[in-house]
Amino acid sequence: MPSPAIVALDAAQLPYRLVSHGAVGSLAEAAAVRGVAVPDVVKTIVVRRGEADHLFVLTPGDRVISWPKLRALLGVHRLSMPDAAGALAATGYERGTITPFGASTAWPVVADERLRGREITLGAGERGLAVAIAADAAIAALDATVADVTDPQPTR
């Protein structure tokens, strides 16, 4: 039986390509096994605005959420990230498999503007499974707000 993400993508009639791979230990490894550049491995981050109020933030793999930019966009003073159990309860997906497609609640989506015009890969609701999809089609299907909400990944 396909994951809720695949069911949702099919229902939306979005063209996508399934990418099946084994376990990965890093974003760079995920990019390598998916055959894409690190920025095209999109992280779906669950952000909590308040009690039972979440949203998804889609970020390129080489970037991190800029909390000041995201707070300004949303007009709020405080945001947080739920723990693993909270993310599962909010989305129906375990961390590492989260996607806005087929989530148990259709939370609002914010997509970083750098995703536009690219083919991206997103989690598909199951470990070791991703979808490759045109970012612009995904953004439109999700009715996502597109804005500059990230900063470069800090170097270690």
Side-chain angles (χ1 to χ4, degrees):
M1 178 159 173
S3 77
I6 302 304
V7 172
L9 286 162
D10 289 342
Q13 298 182 343
L14 287 170
Y16 65 89
R17 177 175 45 86
L18 277 177
V19 181
S20 182
H21 55 79
V24 295
S26 69
L27 207 75
E29 192 177 336
V33 299
R34 294 178 186 181
V36 300
V38 169
D40 297 326
V41 176
V42 173
K43 299 178 284 187
T44 302
I45 311 297
V46 181
V47 174
R48 184 178 180 270
R49 284 191 282 201
E51 188 66 34
D53 183 14
H54 297 81
L55 63 132
F56 294 107
V57 180
L58 304 180
T59 69
D62 62 342
R63 299 186 67 87
V64 295
I65 291 175
S66 167
W67 294 104
K69 291 177 187 177
L70 185 58
R71 285 192 304 268
L73 175 71
L74 299 173
V76 299
H77 296 289
R78 187 166 187 268
L79 295 167
S80 62
M81 291 175 52
D83 62 14
L88 176 61
T91 67
Y93 294 122
E94 293 180 349
R95 279 194 181 158
T97 70
I98 296 173
T99 176
F101 291 103
S104 56
T105 301
W107 300 112
V109 177
V110 174
D112 187 73
E113 67 186 12
R114 289 157 192 84
L115 299 177
R116 284 192 236 172
R118 304 181 72 97
E119 180 179 76
I120 59 171
T121 62
L122 290 166
E126 296 177 11
R127 296 229 180 264
L129 189 64
V131 294
I133 188 169
D136 295 339
I139 288 167
L142 294 166
D143 194 24
T145 299
V146 178
D148 176 9
V149 295
T150 65
D151 288 327
Q153 177 81 40
T155 56
R156 296 175 196 222

